[in-house]
Amino acid sequence: MFSFLFLRSCVAQTSWAARPFSSTSVAEALYKMKSHSGAKKRWRSAPGSKSFKRGQAFRSHLNASKSPARINRLGNTAYSTPAQTHKLRKVLLPYGSG
């Protein structure tokens, strides 16, 4: 019993036990939010609009079994849907666009 109370009082006195909540600023929290590295490599912001664009997958190899029309379709640019755009803004720009 004594060791539990002693340990509990030691943990309460340390500064790392206090968890920074969302009301604290970034400077007080001592860390920065990171943007998603995988999304950075795959998505680009579309010029003149508020959406994102990416390249299609499945075009780089094993193309002998794919029809020419399918290969041409896979060469087109894919754009984000409104739901994807909302999620990508939070992932790529964690502090907002401003």
Side-chain angles (χ1 to χ4, degrees):
M1 183 72 176
F2 173 73
S3 63
F4 173 72
L5 292 175
F6 177 73
L7 183 64
R8 191 169 146 190
S9 65
C10 290
V11 170
Q13 292 173 358
T14 58
S15 62
W16 57 267
R19 181 175 169 237
F21 291 99
S22 61
S23 61
T24 60
S25 68
V26 177
E28 293 171 357
L30 301 176
Y31 64 89
K32 292 182 180 178
M33 293 175 67
K34 294 184 178 180
S35 55
H36 197 281
S37 296
K40 277 195 295 190
K41 295 169 189 174
R42 288 168 174 82
W43 294 92
R44 302 279 181 261
S45 61
S49 67
K50 298 195 176 211
S51 63
F52 295 90
K53 66 179 186 174
R54 65 171 171 84
Q56 288 274 10
F58 303 108
R59 190 170 190 255
S60 58
H61 58 86
L62 299 175
N63 291 327
S65 61
K66 297 172 189 160
S67 67
R70 182 178 173 190
I71 293 173
N72 286 338
R73 265 198 320 272
L74 292 173
N76 294 336
T77 304
Y79 292 94
S80 62
T81 63
Q84 285 175 328
T85 303
H86 178 69
K87 188 179 278 189
L88 284 168
R89 278 177 203 263
K90 289 166 60 175
V91 167
L92 290 173
L93 307 169
Y95 293 110
S97 60

